[in-house]
Amino acid sequence: MKNIIGAKPGPAGAEVRFLTVDEESAGQRLDNFLFRQLKGVPKTHVYRIIRSGEVRINKGRAQAETRIEVGDVLRLPPVRVAARSEEGATPPAPPRDFPLLHEDDALLAIDKPAGVAVHGGSGVSFGVIEQLRTARPSAKFLELVHRLDRETSGILLVAKKRSALTALQDQFRERETGKTYLALVEGDWPTAKKVLDAPLAKYLLPDGERRVRVVAKDHADAMRAITLVKVLARFSLPGEKQPMSLLAVTIKTGRTHQIRVHLASAGHAIAGDDKYGDFERNRALQKTGLKRMFLHAWRLQFNHPADGHRVALQAALPPELASLLPPATLTETSRHD
């Protein structure tokens, strides 16, 4: 429970609130924290007040993905909380169980399907975490450890304890985890091109959609991003002559859209990528059976937050992607270390 350290009257009975973050809430994303504080407020409105700067952390602007810390002082603007039954209120997420790769007292790992957001917001009413919470009403704590893009399938970690969440997030932040993806890209990837070290920066399209691009090191918003690439196979999709490369991609930093932007900027966009790939090429790929982006969170290694032992997880390629690979390629991929 948060400590209200001040309040100012607002319109229609609403008021500005100032909250101090306690240990129980530390480590949460700002948007997730606000969803719980502002129950009944549509998530689209929550994101709007964050983007507009009406929500402040220690008097400064913040982003939805900002992690709140113990002692942070949050300013919440006046908002009208709608009754659940009113039009526009966010309905509860339907319960859904996802394929489990691992579960113990501290955490669970699921095999997230493509097309499902990890959490609600930005036009999405609910995601994996909201559906898991509905499916497990007795769970006292369920929080995302990290994120995957909506169209990316594969391993996703969820913490079942606050201590596990902070310990795992520290590992991600300090690059102590091993995160490897499978990506099918256009063209013949050069074998010698193994390291992509190019800064990235976020920007907005005219319609407000968020994108990421490679920028110079001295760019004001530059964030260092390092991606390691290994070629697993080269082949052409059924009915095509154009070469494709299957890559094992390991990220040493976890920037938004990092793999997608790094590979596309190198001239080898991920097959089916609707943001950084080629629209006409993606339409042609659909005729081969590729209906989604070919990016899969394949392997993940981390130290268990309870006893420190190394955990190694692997999620097999989903059928809609595995069916596109030559049998020999799929066999070699499953054996690859």
Side-chain angles (χ1 to χ4, degrees), residues 7-8 56 66 68 120 141 143 149 157 173 180 207 215 228 230 236 259 265 280 283 314 326:
K8 298 179 181 179
R56 299 270 174 158
T66 299
I68 58 177
F141 186 91
E143 290 286 352
D149 290 345
L157 289 186
R173 189 179 305 110
T180 301
D207 63 1
V215 296
L228 309 182
K230 180 175 183 178
S236 296
I259 295 175
S265 68
E280 292 300 327
R283 287 186 62 182
Q314 179 170 317

Side-chain angles (χ1 to χ4, degrees), residues 203-216:
Y203 68 101
L204 295 178
L205 295 178
D207 63 1
E209 184 178 353
R210 181 180 61 179
R211 291 293 174 88
V212 178
R213 61 189 168 198
V214 171
V215 296

Side-chain angles (χ1 to χ4, degrees), residues 219-264:
H219 188 282
D221 299 320
M223 298 179 292
R224 192 179 186 191
I226 303 172
T227 303
L228 309 182
V229 180
K230 180 175 183 178
V231 179
L232 299 183
R234 295 182 175 88
F235 56 90
S236 296
L237 291 174
E240 287 203 337
K241 294 183 180 179
Q242 184 165 329
M244 308 287 283
S245 300
L246 181 66
L247 309 178
V249 183
T250 300
I251 55 175
K252 309 306 284 187
T253 51
R255 308 304 183 192
T256 300
H257 296 173
Q258 176 176 326
I259 295 175
R260 300 165 71 174
V261 176
H262 267 176
L263 299 185

Side-chain angles (χ1 to χ4, degrees), residues 308-327:
H309 78 274
R310 196 68 171 171
V311 178
L313 303 176
Q314 179 170 317
L317 270 175
E320 71 270 16
L321 299 185
S323 63
L324 299 172
L325 304 183

